[in-house]
Amino acid sequence: QVQLVQSGAEVKKPGASVKVSCKASGYTFTSYYMHWVRQAPGQGLEWMGIINPSGGSTSYAQKFQGRVTMTRDTSTSTVYMELSSLRSEDTAVYYCARDGTVAEPSYMDVWGKGTTVTVSS
Amino acid sequence: ETTLTQSPAFMSATPGDKVNISCKASQDIDDDMNWYQQKPGEAAIFIIQEATTLVPGISPRFSGSGYGTDFTLTINNIESEDAAYYFCLQHDNFPRTFGQGTKVEIK
């Protein structure tokens, strides 16, 4: 079955960077885009961006432009989301979510369980 | 950017109740609306696609309705296992946006 397994919780200091991984299995990794979404405590979900695992192209939400980088490793079927210049407001649970359609981005159909990132001095 | 206004933020239901959750879009999004269920510590589950289509494998107690700007998730004959956080997503345009979510408690 399709599974997305995310890396473990992280604690970072303000100004640092964090890199979260998401290992996919159960499907052809390069056929489906992958989204990244986050949820801060007490807040709603927020879309961060999307990566095409086939060619590596990305599109980021304007809010995160310049601070987020999404990459992929096709040899291990893993996507990564790196967020730099962390501040306390970046404390959140970060999710990867597979796009539900082949060829062009649409909606999320399968989600990871999330990775908690805490930014604290 | 399309804003989704989801309500209520919290609701408490009794087993057997019919529950409605609303999601209103700030602009016309056709039927590009999905609904998800999430329980603490678990991955979100995709339950309704294209506003009205039940995702295969999901209980038929769940249904969706709406088009354009007004959408509703309905849970018929609610059961204790339906206690969860529910959220809507629009995939009509970028950036993708979500409703603020609804926590459903079962008495």
Side-chain angles (χ1 to χ4, degrees), chain A residues 35 37 39 43-47 50 95 105-109 111-113, chain B residues 34 36 38 41 43-44 46 49-50 85 87 89 91 94-96 98 100:
Chain A
H35 302 260
V37 175
Q39 186 169 30
Q43 304 295 312
L45 292 152
E46 183 174 34
W47 184 80
I50 189 169
Y95 298 96
S106 183
Y107 52 81
M108 304 87 179
D109 67 344
W111 294 66
K113 289 186 177 183
Chain B
N34 292 351
Y36 301 83
Q38 187 173 32
F46 183 26
Q49 63 181 11
E50 308 307 318
Y85 176 79
F87 60 90
L89 158 77
H91 60 93
F94 283 99
R96 299 298 189 243
F98 299 87
Q100 286 293 100

Side-chain angles (χ1 to χ4, degrees), chain A residues 69-103:
Chain A
T69 304
M70 296 176 189
T71 56
R72 93 289 190 219
D73 181 343
T74 56
S75 68
T76 60
S77 299
T78 302
V79 294
Y80 300 91
M81 187 285 299
E82 184 169 22
L83 189 62
S84 62
S85 303
L86 290 170
R87 33 207 188 233
S88 59
E89 309 90 87
D90 294 317
T91 293
V93 179
Y94 290 77
Y95 298 96
C96 59
R98 191 189 76 160
D99 193 273
T101 59
V102 175

Side-chain angles (χ1 to χ4, degrees), chain B residues 37 47-48 54 58-64 73-75 82 86:
Chain B
Q37 176 196 69
I47 56 175
I48 299 287
L54 190 67
I58 299 300
S59 169
R61 294 183 293 99
F62 291 91
S63 63
L73 172 69
T74 299
I75 311 173
D82 300 328
Y86 294 86

Side-chain angles (χ1 to χ4, degrees), chain B residues 63-75:
Chain B
S63 63
S65 62
Y67 190 90
T69 60
D70 286 2
F71 302 87
T72 301
L73 172 69
T74 299
I75 311 173

